[in-house]
Amino acid sequence: RIWQVIDMTYGIPAHPAERLSAIALDHLPQIAARARHLVETNRVLLNQFLAGHRDRLDCPPSFLGTTVAPRLRAGSAATFCENLRENFETTVVPGDFFELPDCFRIGIGGPTENLENGLEQISRALATR
């Protein structure tokens, strides 16, 4: 009877996700260590990037968390984000979503190679301003 209720209320039960979550709990220390290493590695890359662009971006170094919101020192962040997406095949989150219209958000929780490529494209886009 419970399965009938689930089928009627959930639409698409996430049974595989539930099972994978239970398996992940058995491996939480390894998963946490991998995530910690990934974020620490990416934070170094991000902070090097930010230090190299102090003339165009206002953003303190990252010490915690997985995102930063650099503020453009000049120009429109919305225009910058659009240019980055259209001409450099790179997407960042416009700051308008966070009531920070002069900013854009960069996340460091993904693969290091993706972050390296993204930061390189952001550097290229900043150089064209």
Side-chain angles (χ1 to χ4, degrees):
R1 287 177 29 194
I2 289 295
W3 287 113
Q4 290 174 337
V5 170
I6 289 173
D7 287 343
M8 296 294 291
T9 57
Y10 286 7
I12 301 174
H15 301 296
E18 291 170 355
R19 293 193 69 175
L20 288 172
S21 296
I23 293 168
L25 287 173
D26 291 335
H27 302 282
L28 204 51
Q30 297 95 324
I31 293 169
R34 180 189 173 277
R36 189 176 306 107
H37 174 73
L38 178 69
V39 170
E40 288 172 358
T41 299
N42 289 353
R43 187 179 320 282
V44 170
L45 294 172
L46 175 66
N47 285 336
Q48 289 170 348
F49 165 82
L50 293 172
H53 292 286
R54 286 191 185 125
D55 59 330
R56 297 178 191 264
L57 299 175
D58 180 23
C59 186
S62 172
F63 296 106
L64 299 170
T66 59
T67 62
V68 295
R71 184 182 64 79
L72 286 174
R73 292 190 182 271
S76 162
T79 302
F80 177 74
C81 293
E82 184 177 327
N83 178 46
L84 191 59
R85 185 179 61 252
E86 291 180 5
N87 298 312
F88 296 90
E89 297 181 10
T90 301
T91 301
V92 294
V93 182
D96 289 334
F97 287 106
F98 309 100
E99 298 181 13
L100 299 168
D102 297 336
C103 300
F104 59 94
R105 188 179 78 170
I106 299 173
I108 62 169
T112 299
E113 182 180 336
N114 291 357
L115 179 64
E116 289 172 324
N117 292 334
L119 295 176
E120 175 61 30
Q121 295 304 325
I122 294 169
S123 291
R124 290 180 59 218
L126 286 168
T128 65
R129 297 179 49 82

